[in-house]
Amino acid sequence: MKFLKLLNQIGLIAAHRGARSISPENTLTALKKSIGKCDFIEIDVQFSREGVAVVMHDDTLERTTNVAKIDSFVSKKPYKVCDFTIDELLALDYGSWFYKDENHKEPLLTLRDALEFIKENDIFLNIEIKDMHGIFSDEEVVDTVVKEIKNSDASESVLLSSFRHEYLKIIKEKAPNILTAALVEGKHPHRLLEYLRELKVNGYNLNNELVERQTVEMLREAGFFVGVYTVNDSARAKELFSMGVNSIFSDSLNKKLEVNSL
Ligand code: G3P
Ligand code: MG
């Protein structure tokens, strides 16, 4: 599989939420701007009220949309994504907060749009599924995401990751050919290798502060690819790649050439 082969190489750059240093994160523009500057793209996915998969990082809308400026939505404070219907989400603007210009708007990006984009542009995509337990059942989340991927004929072009590891287990039961990676922050799971084998994941994506050479070597020897987020410093990127880390998630894509020539 082409994406798995790529993910096992060392020195990869993932565009974290698209090219988010130069465009509004998780928008189509951010995806477009990352082409040619990364090895694959990372986006975050969660659901609207009726369960439509949309591309958004925060579980509330205030930081990356104009929701707080729309009087009719005041009653929906604190503006949780899962409290908004897809039509309401489509009515918001995802660009002016970033450009600091009310006239510079960007539309909502749905998972379907993102999948269509990566197929057209022949680029790989890491879809991070946000933790939605307590709102949607694990089965419903996985079924919806997997269905979108299959409908777009994109099974070979995506990697699914999540901090909610239950999703990853279900994905491998329902769609064993789709690549998965366990996301962790702050602390490794107990008996790490056994844990990852049980989840049947292909890789392990951890935060920068948690990385030690020994763990990276152990994971790579056991056949897992290793990704590290978020790395915006080329000296640190070089250090991580020298430990055997496969990919870094970066906001700062102009580092690609610098890092690759190190
Ligand atoms: O998938 C890596 C990284 O995106 C995880 O953290 O909070 O930026 O989604 P976050
Ligand atoms: Mg993410």
Side-chain angles (χ1 to χ4, degrees):
M1 188 184 192
K2 264 163 62 183
F3 196 10
L4 185 57
K5 212 168 159 196
L6 177 76
L7 287 163
N8 277 296
Q9 291 177 16
I10 292 177
L12 306 173
I13 311 284
H16 184 229
R17 308 182 204 170
R20 74 185 286 250
S21 63
I22 51 169
S23 38
E25 64 186 51
N26 284 326
T27 62
L28 188 60
T29 299
L31 267 53
K32 284 182 182 165
K33 291 264 176 74
S34 69
I35 296 287
K37 302 190 190 79
C38 65
D39 298 289
F40 63 99
I41 301 170
E42 187 257 5
I43 58 171
D44 307 285
V45 162
Q46 55 188 304
F47 291 180
S48 71
R49 196 169 87 190
E50 63 276 74
V52 177
V54 296
V55 181
M56 182 105 42
H57 179 269
D58 299 4
D59 59 3
T60 59
L61 293 160
E62 195 155 4
R63 183 178 63 88
T64 59
T65 77
N66 63 339
V67 70
K69 297 200 172 119
I70 302 175
D71 291 344
S72 56
F73 287 143
V74 169
S75 60
K76 283 182 173 284
K77 267 187 178 174
Y79 309 120
K80 284 188 174 174
V81 178
C82 63
D83 287 340
F84 283 69
T85 65
I86 187 66
D87 285 342
E88 287 169 336
L89 292 176
L90 283 165
L92 299 176
D93 159 45
Y94 299 76
S96 51
W97 70 274
F98 179 86
Y99 301 114
K100 297 183 177 59
D101 174 0
E102 299 241 342
N103 299 313
H104 201 156
K105 298 188 190 320
E106 298 280 355
L108 173 73
L109 182 65
T110 63
L111 175 58
R112 190 167 302 177
D113 301 331
L115 289 167
E116 192 183 324
F117 175 82
I118 59 132
K119 289 288 288 183
E120 275 170 8
N121 289 276
D122 200 19
I123 181 128
F124 296 116
L125 182 69
N126 176 188
I127 303 166
E128 178 188 338
I129 310 174
K130 289 288 161 190
D131 185 344
M132 293 176 273
H133 86 277
I135 308 163
F136 298 97
S137 75
D138 295 345
E139 289 262 331
E140 189 179 355
V141 170
V142 170
D143 283 346
T144 302
V145 173
V146 167
K147 194 170 160 198
E148 290 281 8
I149 293 167
K150 288 192 171 165
N151 285 346
S152 301
D153 193 21
S155 299
E156 303 248 315
S157 308
V158 298
L159 161 68
L160 294 180
S161 61
S162 188
F163 287 104
R164 182 153 177 87
H165 298 166
E166 285 82 349
Y167 296 155
L168 306 173
K169 212 169 185 174
I170 303 172
I171 291 162
K172 283 295 178 186
E173 285 161 16
K174 300 199 175 228
N177 58 330
I178 296 182
L179 300 175
T180 58
L183 264 169
V184 297
E185 184 173 26
K187 192 164 157 264
H188 298 294
H190 184 54
R191 293 162 63 92
L192 181 57
L193 290 185
E194 288 89 331
Y195 181 83
L196 297 179
R197 285 187 187 121
E198 200 162 305
L199 286 178
K200 297 194 167 67
V201 291
N202 305 94
Y204 189 64
N205 291 348
L206 69 165
N207 64 300
N208 188 15
E209 295 73 19
L210 190 58
V211 181
E212 330 95 8
R213 183 180 290 273
Q214 216 184 348
T215 311
V216 174
E217 286 172 357
M218 179 186 80
L219 287 159
R220 297 289 318 286
E221 267 169 38
F224 298 101
F225 61 79
V226 177
V228 177
Y229 65 90
T230 304
V231 181
N232 292 323
D233 175 69
S234 52
R236 178 59 175 161
K238 183 185 174 191
E239 188 177 30
L240 291 167
F241 293 144
S242 78
M243 292 181 200
V245 165
N246 300 101
S247 46
I248 57 160
F249 294 80
S250 187
D251 302 318
S252 185
L253 301 181
N254 52 7
K255 296 279 189 302
K256 181 168 167 62
L257 290 177
E258 275 177 55
V259 170
N260 287 358
S261 64
L262 287 170

